[in-house]
Each structure stands twice: as C-alpha cells, then as structure tokens.
PDB file of all heavy atoms in Angstrom:
ATOM      1  N   ARG A   1     -38.108   4.946  23.278  1.00 94.00           N
ATOM      2  CA  ARG A   1     -37.882   5.584  21.939  1.00 94.00           C
ATOM      3  C   ARG A   1     -36.938   4.704  21.176  1.00 94.00           C
ATOM      4  O   ARG A   1     -37.119   4.435  20.050  1.00 94.00           O
ATOM      5  CB  ARG A   1     -37.405   6.990  22.146  1.00 94.00           C
ATOM      6  CG  ARG A   1     -37.064   7.669  20.843  1.00 94.00           C
ATOM      7  CD  ARG A   1     -36.581   9.166  21.098  1.00 94.00           C
ATOM      8  NE  ARG A   1     -36.313   9.800  19.815  1.00 94.00           N
ATOM      9  CZ  ARG A   1     -35.838  11.116  19.750  1.00 94.00           C
ATOM     10  NH1 ARG A   1     -35.745  11.783  20.891  1.00 94.00           N
ATOM     11  NH2 ARG A   1     -35.672  11.583  18.528  1.00 94.00           N
ATOM     12  N   ASP A   2     -35.811   4.319  21.846  1.00 93.00           N
ATOM     13  CA  ASP A   2     -34.866   3.448  21.167  1.00 93.00           C
ATOM     14  C   ASP A   2     -35.411   2.175  20.820  1.00 93.00           C
ATOM     15  O   ASP A   2     -35.043   1.550  19.793  1.00 93.00           O
ATOM     16  CB  ASP A   2     -33.606   3.385  22.026  1.00 93.00           C
ATOM     17  CG  ASP A   2     -32.736   4.577  22.133  1.00 93.00           C
ATOM     18  OD1 ASP A   2     -32.865   5.501  21.170  1.00 93.00           O
ATOM     19  OD2 ASP A   2     -31.909   4.769  23.052  1.00 93.00           O
ATOM     20  N   ALA A   3     -36.233   1.620  21.706  1.00 94.00           N
ATOM     21  CA  ALA A   3     -36.846   0.316  21.423  1.00 94.00           C
ATOM     22  C   ALA A   3     -37.751   0.304  20.246  1.00 94.00           C
ATOM     23  O   ALA A   3     -37.712  -0.582  19.362  1.00 94.00           O
ATOM     24  CB  ALA A   3     -37.642  -0.232  22.630  1.00 94.00           C
ATOM     25  N   LEU A   4     -38.482   1.496  20.004  1.00 95.00           N
ATOM     26  CA  LEU A   4     -39.337   1.635  18.947  1.00 95.00           C
ATOM     27  C   LEU A   4     -38.603   1.817  17.684  1.00 95.00           C
ATOM     28  O   LEU A   4     -38.866   1.127  16.629  1.00 95.00           O
ATOM     29  CB  LEU A   4     -40.309   2.738  19.168  1.00 95.00           C
ATOM     30  CG  LEU A   4     -41.312   3.049  17.962  1.00 95.00           C
ATOM     31  CD1 LEU A   4     -42.200   1.877  17.838  1.00 95.00           C
ATOM     32  CD2 LEU A   4     -42.092   4.292  18.339  1.00 95.00           C
ATOM     33  N   ALA A   5     -37.411   2.545  17.779  1.00 94.00           N
ATOM     34  CA  ALA A   5     -36.547   2.726  16.616  1.00 94.00           C
ATOM     35  C   ALA A   5     -35.950   1.434  16.189  1.00 94.00           C
ATOM     36  O   ALA A   5     -35.780   1.091  15.018  1.00 94.00           O
ATOM     37  CB  ALA A   5     -35.465   3.799  16.861  1.00 94.00           C
ATOM     38  N   SER A   6     -35.559   0.664  17.183  1.00 93.00           N
ATOM     39  CA  SER A   6     -34.911  -0.622  16.845  1.00 93.00           C
ATOM     40  C   SER A   6     -35.930  -1.622  16.155  1.00 93.00           C
ATOM     41  O   SER A   6     -35.549  -2.315  15.217  1.00 93.00           O
ATOM     42  CB  SER A   6     -34.518  -1.303  18.220  1.00 93.00           C
ATOM     43  OG  SER A   6     -33.919  -2.634  18.025  1.00 93.00           O
ATOM     44  N   VAL A   7     -37.222  -1.671  16.602  1.00 94.00           N
ATOM     45  CA  VAL A   7     -38.178  -2.490  16.001  1.00 94.00           C
ATOM     46  C   VAL A   7     -38.529  -2.115  14.608  1.00 94.00           C
ATOM     47  O   VAL A   7     -38.552  -2.966  13.722  1.00 94.00           O
ATOM     48  CB  VAL A   7     -39.480  -2.462  16.889  1.00 94.00           C
ATOM     49  CG1 VAL A   7     -40.658  -3.026  16.116  1.00 94.00           C
ATOM     50  CG2 VAL A   7     -39.310  -3.188  18.154  1.00 94.00           C
ATOM     51  N   LEU A   8     -38.681  -0.731  14.362  1.00 94.00           N
ATOM     52  CA  LEU A   8     -38.944  -0.196  12.987  1.00 94.00           C
ATOM     53  C   LEU A   8     -37.752  -0.496  12.062  1.00 94.00           C
ATOM     54  O   LEU A   8     -37.955  -0.843  10.856  1.00 94.00           O
ATOM     55  CB  LEU A   8     -39.332   1.185  12.986  1.00 94.00           C
ATOM     56  CG  LEU A   8     -40.599   1.569  13.706  1.00 94.00           C
ATOM     57  CD1 LEU A   8     -40.807   3.059  13.819  1.00 94.00           C
ATOM     58  CD2 LEU A   8     -41.761   0.942  13.087  1.00 94.00           C
ATOM     59  N   SER A   9     -36.549  -0.428  12.498  1.00 91.00           N
ATOM     60  CA  SER A   9     -35.422  -0.741  11.778  1.00 91.00           C
ATOM     61  C   SER A   9     -35.438  -2.205  11.285  1.00 91.00           C
ATOM     62  O   SER A   9     -35.073  -2.523  10.207  1.00 91.00           O
ATOM     63  CB  SER A   9     -34.145  -0.419  12.408  1.00 91.00           C
ATOM     64  OG  SER A   9     -33.907   0.945  12.756  1.00 91.00           O
ATOM     65  N   GLY A  10     -35.784  -3.068  12.288  1.00 90.00           N
ATOM     66  CA  GLY A  10     -35.940  -4.475  12.029  1.00 90.00           C
ATOM     67  C   GLY A  10     -37.015  -4.732  10.949  1.00 90.00           C
ATOM     68  O   GLY A  10     -36.779  -5.642  10.126  1.00 90.00           O
ATOM     69  N   VAL A  11     -38.093  -4.054  10.965  1.00 90.00           N
ATOM     70  CA  VAL A  11     -39.126  -4.219  10.002  1.00 90.00           C
ATOM     71  C   VAL A  11     -38.657  -3.868   8.601  1.00 90.00           C
ATOM     72  O   VAL A  11     -38.858  -4.525   7.685  1.00 90.00           O
ATOM     73  CB  VAL A  11     -40.363  -3.281  10.289  1.00 90.00           C
ATOM     74  CG1 VAL A  11     -41.427  -3.427   9.237  1.00 90.00           C
ATOM     75  CG2 VAL A  11     -40.954  -3.747  11.682  1.00 90.00           C
ATOM     76  N   SER A  12     -37.843  -2.750   8.552  1.00 86.00           N
ATOM     77  CA  SER A  12     -37.354  -2.303   7.272  1.00 86.00           C
ATOM     78  C   SER A  12     -36.394  -3.286   6.654  1.00 86.00           C
ATOM     79  O   SER A  12     -36.554  -3.603   5.421  1.00 86.00           O
ATOM     80  CB  SER A  12     -36.561  -0.904   7.419  1.00 86.00           C
ATOM     81  OG  SER A  12     -36.289  -0.432   6.241  1.00 86.00           O
ATOM     82  N   LEU A  13     -35.563  -3.949   7.357  1.00 83.00           N
ATOM     83  CA  LEU A  13     -34.620  -4.895   6.874  1.00 83.00           C
ATOM     84  C   LEU A  13     -35.272  -6.240   6.683  1.00 83.00           C
ATOM     85  O   LEU A  13     -35.072  -7.077   5.780  1.00 83.00           O
ATOM     86  CB  LEU A  13     -33.376  -5.013   7.726  1.00 83.00           C
ATOM     87  CG  LEU A  13     -32.463  -3.774   7.768  1.00 83.00           C
ATOM     88  CD1 LEU A  13     -31.261  -4.021   8.662  1.00 83.00           C
ATOM     89  CD2 LEU A  13     -32.094  -3.357   6.365  1.00 83.00           C
ATOM     90  N   GLY A  14     -36.129  -6.661   7.663  1.00 82.00           N
ATOM     91  CA  GLY A  14     -36.872  -7.835   7.614  1.00 82.00           C
ATOM     92  C   GLY A  14     -37.738  -8.138   6.429  1.00 82.00           C
ATOM     93  O   GLY A  14     -37.945  -9.223   5.962  1.00 82.00           O
ATOM     94  N   VAL A  15     -38.329  -6.982   5.999  1.00 78.00           N
ATOM     95  CA  VAL A  15     -39.286  -7.090   4.916  1.00 78.00           C
ATOM     96  C   VAL A  15     -38.624  -7.443   3.605  1.00 78.00           C
ATOM     97  O   VAL A  15     -39.189  -7.852   2.587  1.00 78.00           O
ATOM     98  CB  VAL A  15     -39.986  -5.777   4.741  1.00 78.00           C
ATOM     99  CG1 VAL A  15     -39.104  -4.779   3.922  1.00 78.00           C
ATOM    100  CG2 VAL A  15     -41.314  -5.859   4.094  1.00 78.00           C
ATOM    101  N   LEU A  16     -37.269  -7.403   3.480  1.00 74.00           N
ATOM    102  CA  LEU A  16     -36.489  -7.727   2.356  1.00 74.00           C
ATOM    103  C   LEU A  16     -35.815  -9.060   2.274  1.00 74.00           C
ATOM    104  O   LEU A  16     -35.245  -9.500   1.446  1.00 74.00           O
ATOM    105  CB  LEU A  16     -35.385  -6.645   1.990  1.00 74.00           C
ATOM    106  CG  LEU A  16     -35.901  -5.188   1.807  1.00 74.00           C
ATOM    107  CD1 LEU A  16     -34.780  -4.225   1.851  1.00 74.00           C
ATOM    108  CD2 LEU A  16     -36.666  -5.170   0.471  1.00 74.00           C
ATOM    109  N   THR A  17     -35.857  -9.773   3.519  1.00 73.00           N
ATOM    110  CA  THR A  17     -35.074 -10.939   3.676  1.00 73.00           C
ATOM    111  C   THR A  17     -35.904 -12.285   3.895  1.00 73.00           C
ATOM    112  O   THR A  17     -36.951 -12.082   4.548  1.00 73.00           O
ATOM    113  CB  THR A  17     -34.029 -10.767   4.793  1.00 73.00           C
ATOM    114  OG1 THR A  17     -34.719 -10.343   5.993  1.00 73.00           O
ATOM    115  CG2 THR A  17     -32.986  -9.734   4.362  1.00 73.00           C
ATOM    116  N   PRO A  18     -35.472 -13.374   3.505  1.00 68.00           N
ATOM    117  CA  PRO A  18     -36.154 -14.624   3.796  1.00 68.00           C
ATOM    118  C   PRO A  18     -36.306 -14.911   5.263  1.00 68.00           C
ATOM    119  O   PRO A  18     -35.421 -14.623   6.071  1.00 68.00           O
ATOM    120  CB  PRO A  18     -35.243 -15.680   3.103  1.00 68.00           C
ATOM    121  CG  PRO A  18     -34.444 -14.962   2.128  1.00 68.00           C
ATOM    122  CD  PRO A  18     -34.189 -13.597   2.716  1.00 68.00           C
ATOM    123  N   ALA A  19     -37.555 -15.303   5.669  1.00 66.00           N
ATOM    124  CA  ALA A  19     -37.868 -15.653   6.975  1.00 66.00           C
ATOM    125  C   ALA A  19     -37.587 -14.486   7.951  1.00 66.00           C
ATOM    126  O   ALA A  19     -37.413 -14.627   9.147  1.00 66.00           O
ATOM    127  CB  ALA A  19     -37.100 -16.883   7.556  1.00 66.00           C
ATOM    128  N   ARG A  20     -37.585 -13.213   7.458  1.00 73.00           N
ATOM    129  CA  ARG A  20     -37.360 -11.971   8.220  1.00 73.00           C
ATOM    130  C   ARG A  20     -36.014 -12.008   8.966  1.00 73.00           C
ATOM    131  O   ARG A  20     -35.914 -11.450  10.071  1.00 73.00           O
ATOM    132  CB  ARG A  20     -38.504 -11.744   9.109  1.00 73.00           C
ATOM    133  CG  ARG A  20     -39.861 -11.580   8.512  1.00 73.00           C
ATOM    134  CD  ARG A  20     -40.897 -11.147   9.479  1.00 73.00           C
ATOM    135  NE  ARG A  20     -40.953 -12.015  10.617  1.00 73.00           N
ATOM    136  CZ  ARG A  20     -41.846 -11.759  11.657  1.00 73.00           C
ATOM    137  NH1 ARG A  20     -42.568 -10.743  11.669  1.00 73.00           N
ATOM    138  NH2 ARG A  20     -41.910 -12.565  12.730  1.00 73.00           N
ATOM    139  N   ILE A  21     -34.965 -12.664   8.399  1.00 78.00           N
ATOM    140  CA  ILE A  21     -33.665 -12.686   9.022  1.00 78.00           C
ATOM    141  C   ILE A  21     -33.139 -11.288   9.243  1.00 78.00           C
ATOM    142  O   ILE A  21     -32.530 -11.127  10.247  1.00 78.00           O
ATOM    143  CB  ILE A  21     -32.687 -13.588   8.164  1.00 78.00           C
ATOM    144  CG1 ILE A  21     -33.147 -15.028   8.140  1.00 78.00           C
ATOM    145  CG2 ILE A  21     -31.235 -13.412   8.693  1.00 78.00           C
ATOM    146  CD1 ILE A  21     -32.325 -15.921   7.274  1.00 78.00           C
ATOM    147  N   GLY A  22     -33.393 -10.426   8.243  1.00 77.00           N
ATOM    148  CA  GLY A  22     -32.897  -9.090   8.410  1.00 77.00           C
ATOM    149  C   GLY A  22     -33.360  -8.285   9.612  1.00 77.00           C
ATOM    150  O   GLY A  22     -32.817  -7.290  10.040  1.00 77.00           O
ATOM    151  N   GLU A  23     -34.527  -8.748  10.248  1.00 84.00           N
ATOM    152  CA  GLU A  23     -35.101  -8.234  11.434  1.00 84.00           C
ATOM    153  C   GLU A  23     -34.033  -8.210  12.502  1.00 84.00           C
ATOM    154  O   GLU A  23     -33.940  -7.279  13.426  1.00 84.00           O
ATOM    155  CB  GLU A  23     -36.257  -8.869  11.847  1.00 84.00           C
ATOM    156  CG  GLU A  23     -37.053  -8.296  13.087  1.00 84.00           C
ATOM    157  CD  GLU A  23     -38.286  -9.018  13.431  1.00 84.00           C
ATOM    158  OE1 GLU A  23     -38.845  -9.790  12.603  1.00 84.00           O
ATOM    159  OE2 GLU A  23     -38.722  -8.865  14.531  1.00 84.00           O
ATOM    160  N   TYR A  24     -33.231  -9.312  12.650  1.00 82.00           N
ATOM    161  CA  TYR A  24     -32.208  -9.438  13.670  1.00 82.00           C
ATOM    162  C   TYR A  24     -31.227  -8.308  13.489  1.00 82.00           C
ATOM    163  O   TYR A  24     -30.781  -7.627  14.381  1.00 82.00           O
ATOM    164  CB  TYR A  24     -31.560 -10.718  13.561  1.00 82.00           C
ATOM    165  CG  TYR A  24     -32.435 -11.974  13.960  1.00 82.00           C
ATOM    166  CD1 TYR A  24     -33.301 -12.544  13.097  1.00 82.00           C
ATOM    167  CD2 TYR A  24     -32.358 -12.506  15.156  1.00 82.00           C
ATOM    168  CE1 TYR A  24     -34.156 -13.591  13.468  1.00 82.00           C
ATOM    169  CE2 TYR A  24     -33.102 -13.611  15.553  1.00 82.00           C
ATOM    170  CZ  TYR A  24     -34.061 -14.168  14.708  1.00 82.00           C
ATOM    171  OH  TYR A  24     -34.851 -15.139  15.144  1.00 82.00           O
ATOM    172  N   GLY A  25     -30.753  -8.135  12.257  1.00 82.00           N
ATOM    173  CA  GLY A  25     -29.674  -7.123  11.938  1.00 82.00           C
ATOM    174  C   GLY A  25     -30.233  -5.691  12.226  1.00 82.00           C
ATOM    175  O   GLY A  25     -29.551  -4.903  12.785  1.00 82.00           O
ATOM    176  N   GLY A  26     -31.487  -5.481  11.822  1.00 84.00           N
ATOM    177  CA  GLY A  26     -32.076  -4.119  12.037  1.00 84.00           C
ATOM    178  C   GLY A  26     -32.168  -3.808  13.495  1.00 84.00           C
ATOM    179  O   GLY A  26     -31.841  -2.616  13.995  1.00 84.00           O
ATOM    180  N   ARG A  27     -32.509  -4.715  14.327  1.00 89.00           N
ATOM    181  CA  ARG A  27     -32.649  -4.407  15.758  1.00 89.00           C
ATOM    182  C   ARG A  27     -31.221  -4.208  16.351  1.00 89.00           C
ATOM    183  O   ARG A  27     -31.112  -3.543  17.353  1.00 89.00           O
ATOM    184  CB  ARG A  27     -33.382  -5.542  16.439  1.00 89.00           C
ATOM    185  CG  ARG A  27     -34.831  -5.641  16.013  1.00 89.00           C
ATOM    186  CD  ARG A  27     -35.649  -6.484  16.916  1.00 89.00           C
ATOM    187  NE  ARG A  27     -37.080  -6.548  16.441  1.00 89.00           N
ATOM    188  CZ  ARG A  27     -38.063  -6.989  17.143  1.00 89.00           C
ATOM    189  NH1 ARG A  27     -37.903  -7.503  18.323  1.00 89.00           N
ATOM    190  NH2 ARG A  27     -39.368  -6.966  16.665  1.00 89.00           N
ATOM    191  N   MET A  28     -30.197  -4.992  15.892  1.00 87.00           N
ATOM    192  CA  MET A  28     -28.807  -4.863  16.325  1.00 87.00           C
ATOM    193  C   MET A  28     -28.242  -3.436  16.249  1.00 87.00           C
ATOM    194  O   MET A  28     -27.389  -3.072  16.989  1.00 87.00           O
ATOM    195  CB  MET A  28     -27.931  -5.826  15.752  1.00 87.00           C
ATOM    196  CG  MET A  28     -28.112  -7.185  16.028  1.00 87.00           C
ATOM    197  SD  MET A  28     -27.001  -8.309  15.163  1.00 87.00           S
ATOM    198  CE  MET A  28     -27.508  -9.909  15.679  1.00 87.00           C
ATOM    199  N   LEU A  29     -28.714  -2.675  15.242  1.00 84.00           N
ATOM    200  CA  LEU A  29     -28.173  -1.386  14.935  1.00 84.00           C
ATOM    201  C   LEU A  29     -28.250  -0.431  16.105  1.00 84.00           C
ATOM    202  O   LEU A  29     -27.471   0.461  16.206  1.00 84.00           O
ATOM    203  CB  LEU A  29     -28.927  -0.762  13.746  1.00 84.00           C
ATOM    204  CG  LEU A  29     -28.778  -1.494  12.439  1.00 84.00           C
ATOM    205  CD1 LEU A  29     -29.624  -0.859  11.257  1.00 84.00           C
ATOM    206  CD2 LEU A  29     -27.348  -1.522  11.988  1.00 84.00           C
ATOM    207  N   HIS A  30     -29.206  -0.719  16.981  1.00 85.00           N
ATOM    208  CA  HIS A  30     -29.445   0.258  18.106  1.00 85.00           C
ATOM    209  C   HIS A  30     -28.897  -0.250  19.474  1.00 85.00           C
ATOM    210  O   HIS A  30     -29.222   0.319  20.463  1.00 85.00           O
ATOM    211  CB  HIS A  30     -30.918   0.556  18.292  1.00 85.00           C
ATOM    212  CG  HIS A  30     -31.489   1.173  16.998  1.00 85.00           C
ATOM    213  ND1 HIS A  30     -31.690   2.526  16.768  1.00 85.00           N
ATOM    214  CD2 HIS A  30     -32.020   0.564  15.908  1.00 85.00           C
ATOM    215  CE1 HIS A  30     -32.150   2.713  15.636  1.00 85.00           C
ATOM    216  NE2 HIS A  30     -32.461   1.593  15.094  1.00 85.00           N
ATOM    217  N   LEU A  31     -28.072  -1.273  19.399  1.00 87.00           N
ATOM    218  CA  LEU A  31     -27.526  -1.858  20.601  1.00 87.00           C
ATOM    219  C   LEU A  31     -26.002  -1.686  20.621  1.00 87.00           C
ATOM    220  O   LEU A  31     -25.363  -1.499  19.744  1.00 87.00           O
ATOM    221  CB  LEU A  31     -27.839  -3.348  20.678  1.00 87.00           C
ATOM    222  CG  LEU A  31     -29.323  -3.777  20.714  1.00 87.00           C
ATOM    223  CD1 LEU A  31     -29.457  -5.354  20.521  1.00 87.00           C
ATOM    224  CD2 LEU A  31     -29.974  -3.347  21.914  1.00 87.00           C
ATOM    225  N   HIS A  32     -25.470  -1.755  21.940  1.00 84.00           N
ATOM    226  CA  HIS A  32     -24.008  -1.713  22.058  1.00 84.00           C
ATOM    227  C   HIS A  32     -23.393  -2.910  21.333  1.00 84.00           C
ATOM    228  O   HIS A  32     -23.998  -3.986  21.404  1.00 84.00           O
ATOM    229  CB  HIS A  32     -23.753  -1.711  23.586  1.00 84.00           C
ATOM    230  CG  HIS A  32     -22.366  -1.465  23.920  1.00 84.00           C
ATOM    231  ND1 HIS A  32     -21.383  -2.385  23.942  1.00 84.00           N
ATOM    232  CD2 HIS A  32     -21.722  -0.271  24.329  1.00 84.00           C
ATOM    233  CE1 HIS A  32     -20.211  -1.931  24.194  1.00 84.00           C
ATOM    234  NE2 HIS A  32     -20.343  -0.639  24.476  1.00 84.00           N
ATOM    235  N   PRO A  33     -22.257  -2.689  20.833  1.00 83.00           N
ATOM    236  CA  PRO A  33     -21.585  -3.715  19.995  1.00 83.00           C
ATOM    237  C   PRO A  33     -21.428  -5.072  20.861  1.00 83.00           C
ATOM    238  O   PRO A  33     -21.440  -6.191  20.336  1.00 83.00           O
ATOM    239  CB  PRO A  33     -20.162  -3.199  19.770  1.00 83.00           C
ATOM    240  CG  PRO A  33     -20.345  -1.805  19.685  1.00 83.00           C
ATOM    241  CD  PRO A  33     -21.459  -1.458  20.648  1.00 83.00           C
TER     242      PRO A  33
END
C-alpha cells in the first residue's frame, strides 16, 4: 500500500517537472528521512 502511494505521489510531482525529476521527490515523501 505504501509502495503504491509512493509511486502515485511520484507521478503527481513528476508530471509537472522536466525529465520527471519531481518523481524522485514524490517517492521520497513515504520514506524514512
């Protein structure tokens, strides 16, 4: 469930950024610091 949430968050941010760089940040949101 967390993996799916992480991927979808990455899609949401990646769709707005060049070369989908935001995908990295979106997936980080669901990980330990």
